[in-house]
Amino acid sequence: MARIIAGIGSSHVPAIGAAIDNGKTEEPYWKRIFSGFEKSQAWMRETKPDVAIVVYNDHASAFSVEMIPTFALGCAAEFPPADEGWGPRPVPVVKGYPSLASHIAQSVILDEFDLTICNKMEVDHGMTVPMNLLFGKVDKNAHWPCPVIPLAVNVVMYPPPTGHRCYMLGKAIRKAVESYPEDLNVVIFGTGGLSHQISGPRAGLINSKWDKAFLDNLSKDPQKLAKVPHVDYMREAGAEGIEMVMWLVMRGALDDKVDEVYRFYTVPASNTAVGHIILANRPRTAKPAGGYKHAAKHKPAAKHKRAAARAKPALIRSR
Ligand code: DHB
Ligand code: FE
């Protein structure tokens, strides 16, 4: 059986991608941001997920004002980086996982969430920047550490889905993953945000108090967070702050009670408040995070104990 072991929230500011691509990560402005992801990259290397589901938004790269699906699942074998105006980012093509993606599409659609199925799709900074933040810089000719299933959410043209709809979709995705027969450790990313507004009289708006309360509720009281209406995001977090509803898909796919493994918040990156969180499900099943490599020589009972001990997170916080 496949299982979701953890959820990751991360901002997707495009200038972070440009800083990586242009070798500026050691400059003080950028180092402040990248140093907040060092522990997360170590966690990711240790966790070694078999697959990542990345909930993200397209910024008129694969879709446009002519056609914009509310929820679009990438079922293709690969997703090339999109040209966002200055050529595609120098990152590897993202490899998909078509069999699990098709299984999720079937399960979720039969559960009455009407996804669009994408068998060909390019992916923009909304997806590749959070992947870089968690997996580090990956050479264009190398491979991302695991296959990825993209789930694109419309947060660019009114009306986006509600936070509650996103949260419920997360639950349906979890059910889909858990009914997939292969033994896979899956992580799910919720991306975008946190507070920011890019244009208009409120351009530059950042609301740290709102962002921190969002992270607190995401961790401890997601049901309350799922009830927050669009207008609150717009007023408190700015027009582009609505991207934050995507984090609720990730949260819906986790247990009600989770362990907060890590949190990072800094202001600003470009126009945006950068937020990041790692939330782990408490281990219930056989395969330990990081695979079987050490546990294999032990009897199943011992293996369970070791998996539980290893997956117990050290609470590392940075705010
Ligand atoms: C910025 C942030 C975004 O989320 C985005 O998609 C584009 C730009 C910014 O802060 O500049
Ligand atoms: Fe964005």
Side-chain angles (χ1 to χ4, degrees):
M1 177 189 109
R3 68 199 68 78
I4 295 184
I5 56 168
I8 297 138
S10 170
S11 300
H12 68 210
V13 187
I16 294 178
I20 297 170
D21 302 342
N22 296 303
K24 297 189 176 194
T25 54
E26 291 301 314
E27 291 181 5
Y29 180 90
W30 293 110
K31 196 159 176 65
R32 168 180 53 88
I33 294 152
F34 289 108
S35 60
F37 288 83
E38 281 164 10
K39 286 177 183 156
S40 319
Q41 290 183 13
W43 177 89
M44 195 57 111
R45 282 192 296 273
E46 171 132 334
T47 302
K48 290 193 185 63
D50 298 304
V51 188
I53 298 170
V54 180
V55 183
Y56 78 108
N57 74 286
D58 178 78
H59 300 74
S61 304
F63 310 117
S64 71
V65 289
E66 290 176 6
M67 197 179 343
I68 176 89
T70 302
F71 295 115
L73 191 72
C75 296
E78 54 180 43
F79 306 94
D83 182 348
E84 300 183 55
W86 42 88
R89 288 195 60 215
V91 292
V93 167
V94 177
K95 301 287 181 195
Y97 205 113
S99 55
L100 175 57
S102 307
H103 173 85
I104 293 173
Q106 170 172 302
S107 175
V108 165
I109 291 170
L110 296 183
D111 267 346
E112 304 180 348
F113 287 86
D114 306 317
L115 301 186
T116 299
I117 294 166
C118 292
N119 292 320
K120 188 172 183 202
M121 184 164 72
E122 294 185 347
V123 291
D124 70 13
H125 70 269
M127 193 161 114
T128 58
V129 166
M131 285 175 63
N132 274 137
L133 286 171
L134 271 296
F135 295 125
K137 183 177 163 77
V138 185
D139 187 84
K140 184 178 179 304
N141 300 312
H143 297 283
W144 293 106
C146 69
V148 173
I149 298 175
L151 174 67
V153 179
N154 168 33
V155 288
V156 297
M157 182 181 280
Y158 189 81
T162 61
H164 184 255
R165 187 66 173 160
C166 289
Y167 186 63
M168 297 312 287
L169 175 60
K171 290 188 179 295
I173 290 172
R174 179 200 184 126
K175 181 175 158 201
V177 167
E178 290 183 351
S179 62
Y180 189 69
E182 225 181 311
D183 193 9
L184 298 173
N185 281 339
V186 180
V187 295
I188 180 164
F189 285 53
T191 63
L194 296 180
S195 58
H196 63 303
Q197 172 139 348
I198 293 173
S199 59
R202 295 204 307 162
L205 176 142
I206 283 178
N207 184 346
S208 300
K209 201 168 158 217
W210 159 273
D211 289 337
K212 287 178 181 172
F214 179 89
L215 293 172
D216 287 344
N217 284 325
L218 193 78
S219 193
K220 296 270 176 328
D221 198 352
Q223 273 137 3
K224 180 174 161 199
L225 199 58
K227 292 193 190 112
V228 173
H230 284 148
V231 67
D232 287 16
Y233 286 91
M234 298 289 282
R235 187 182 58 246
E236 301 294 335
E240 279 75 26
I242 195 66
E243 290 177 348
M244 292 158 86
V245 295
M246 294 187 287
W247 292 43
L248 282 160
V249 181
M250 171 273 274
R251 188 62 184 90
L254 303 178
D255 292 343
D256 290 347
K257 281 201 187 336
V258 289
D259 291 317
E260 185 173 327
V261 178
Y262 182 63
R263 186 192 293 205
F264 174 64
Y265 183 81
T266 188
V267 170
S270 187
N271 303 289
T272 304
V274 170
H276 169 45
I277 203 163
I278 301 178
L279 301 171
N281 276 342
R282 293 173 184 166
R284 290 177 298 172
T285 41
K287 190 177 179 183
Y292 282 120
K293 80 181 169 338
H294 305 298
K297 40 185 183 315
H298 297 272
K299 289 204 285 282
K303 185 169 76 182
H304 282 226
K305 264 196 196 155
R306 283 167 54 88
R310 180 146 15 117
K312 202 161 189 218
L315 255 181
I316 38 176
R317 280 197 175 207
S318 154
R319 302 193 206 198

